[in-house]
Amino acid sequence: MGISSRSLTDVDFEVNLGFVLGVGLRFSLPVCSVYSMPGGYLVAMSPTKLMRWLTCPTFGYLDERWEPTGPWTPNRLLGMMMHTAINASLTHQDAPGSTLRELDRGYPTDEEPVWTKEALLTLINKALPKVLGVIENFGESFLASELTIGDGRVDLVTQREQDKGQPLVVTDFKTSLQLSTYLATKNMAEAQSDWQLLDYTWRVSEYYQKPVIARRRVLIVLTPQVKVYCETFDTTTTLDMWRRTMLKEEAYVESLKDLPLADLPMRTTNCYGRYGKCRFYEFCWIAGKDEQRAGGLYNHRRIESI
């Protein structure tokens, strides 16, 4: 049994109004920075932002405000286009039109990138049928995509109607322009303990007040040829353990949010990582965390960090 759709309930409509009206518009109801979950806990920030602050509080602060100078790269835009195309396809919207609007919204107008609009669209159009084929093979019923819960946006929620209690499954999509087989395999192995995926799983469980039996990572590599990797992890024994950690870590980050940049801790063990040096290395070690001195090395962020 492939992905099937059902009528949206009142609750679904309230949260998913953005993609019902039009995926490319990225419209959604106002979301407070603190969101009350049905289970009672208050979610203060998105998992992506929390992870960045945990990686290094200085990095978390800078990533919300600055980006390195240099030529534009299409990586982030390709991810947004792929999410839009998947969402539009699953919700029976105009996938080509929605994807094109996302491209126009994110494509730079103040420079001439190496990647043309036509080339980026070609990459998405080649990958989309393969991704939809993988989703079809899940054999699960569609509940929601691009589901906004607080400051988090969950890529896909499905339901195993054939199982007792009709438990839920959360799927997270990642898109990479190019990735070696070694790094792709490593990415999939690391997904089992991925903070963002665990956060989304917990939010969905609280929102629907139903168990989430599994969480899934789908990795889409666009070049030199399209490859789609998929891994599913059991959730029944790990979510409570992660939640206890999350409460402590979020409280720690919240205690730092009002500090000035100069007083924020630096995780010097993360100045160099698996992809080389941190993109804010010069901000700290050349400009001395001085935002005026760093002006020649970095620009104010053009697109809000997610």
Side-chain angles (χ1 to χ4, degrees):
M1 178 178 66
I3 289 283
S4 61
S5 60
R6 61 166 177 75
S7 299
L8 294 173
T9 66
D10 292 341
V11 173
D12 292 326
F13 182 78
E14 181 180 19
V15 174
N16 293 313
L17 185 58
F19 73 71
V20 173
L21 293 179
V23 177
L25 298 177
R26 285 286 179 184
F27 174 88
S28 62
L29 292 174
V31 177
C32 300
S33 60
V34 179
Y35 175 80
S36 179
M37 298 286 283
Y41 180 67
L42 296 180
V43 181
M45 68 181 71
S46 74
T48 304
K49 288 187 177 182
L50 183 59
M51 284 190 298
R52 288 166 181 164
W53 277 79
L54 291 176
T55 298
C56 173
T58 295
F59 176 89
Y61 175 97
L62 295 175
D63 190 69
E64 293 175 6
R65 296 163 174 83
W66 296 88
E67 58 186 4
T69 58
W72 176 82
T73 58
N75 303 67
R76 184 173 185 274
L77 177 57
L78 283 168
M80 296 173 70
M81 291 170 62
M82 181 58 70
H83 276 71
T84 297
I86 295 170
N87 179 48
S89 299
L90 294 178
T91 55
H92 310 293
Q93 306 295 312
D94 175 16
S98 299
T99 307
L100 181 58
R101 288 192 292 272
E102 190 69 69
L103 172 61
D104 289 338
R105 191 179 74 89
Y107 197 79
T109 57
D110 55 352
E111 59 181 284
E112 294 184 8
V114 174
W115 287 88
T116 65
K117 286 186 175 183
E118 291 74 16
L120 298 180
L121 276 175
T122 298
L123 291 176
I124 298 300
N125 290 336
K126 286 175 60 178
L128 182 60
K130 292 189 176 183
V131 177
L132 295 178
V134 170
I135 296 173
E136 181 73 19
N137 288 333
F138 293 162
E140 297 158 0
S141 298
F142 173 85
L143 281 185
S145 60
E146 298 299 309
L147 173 63
T148 298
I149 307 176
D151 277 0
R153 183 183 293 138
V154 183
D155 295 347
L156 177 63
V157 183
T158 51
Q159 187 171 30
R160 292 182 177 174
E161 293 187 344
Q162 69 273 25
D163 292 359
K164 183 178 180 181
Q166 298 185 334
L168 309 180
V169 179
V170 170
T171 300
D172 178 59
F173 299 104
K174 297 296 182 188
T175 304
S176 179
L177 178 60
Q178 188 171 20
L179 205 63
S180 67
T181 301
Y182 168 76
L183 288 179
T185 304
K186 189 171 185 291
N187 181 293
M188 299 306 291
E190 293 173 346
Q192 185 170 18
S193 58
D194 182 78
W195 185 282
Q196 182 186 55
L197 185 52
L198 284 161
D199 180 284
Y200 288 167
T201 301
W202 172 71
R203 288 176 191 248
V204 167
S205 177
E206 289 289 302
Y207 176 73
Y208 283 102
Q209 289 291 283
K210 295 193 66 172
V212 177
I213 198 171
R215 61 193 187 278
R216 179 185 292 122
R217 164 66 53 79
V218 175
L219 174 63
I220 307 153
V221 181
L222 299 175
T223 64
Q225 59 183 9
V226 176
K227 292 184 178 180
V228 181
Y229 301 82
C230 182
E231 193 73 44
T232 303
F233 306 99
D234 177 77
T235 296
T236 55
T237 60
T238 57
L239 204 55
D240 286 342
M241 174 187 69
W242 169 84
R243 182 177 180 273
R244 288 192 292 271
T245 299
M246 180 269 290
L247 294 174
K248 294 181 175 66
E249 296 286 27
E250 189 172 74
Y252 167 68
V253 171
E254 283 295 328
S255 72
L256 302 175
K257 294 287 283 187
D258 293 330
L259 293 178
L261 175 60
D263 293 341
L264 287 174
M266 295 171 62
R267 298 283 180 262
T268 56
T269 52
N270 290 330
C271 290
Y272 275 83
R274 60 180 177 178
Y275 298 119
K277 67 181 179 181
C278 170
R279 62 176 174 268
F280 295 109
Y281 186 92
E282 287 78 9
F283 206 115
C284 296
W285 297 105
I286 303 300
K289 294 174 67 173
D290 186 316
E291 295 187 77
Q292 289 187 336
R293 292 178 59 191
L297 301 171
Y298 294 83
N299 297 320
H300 287 284
R301 181 172 284 280
R302 290 183 287 187
I303 301 178
E304 183 184 357
S305 177
I306 60 172

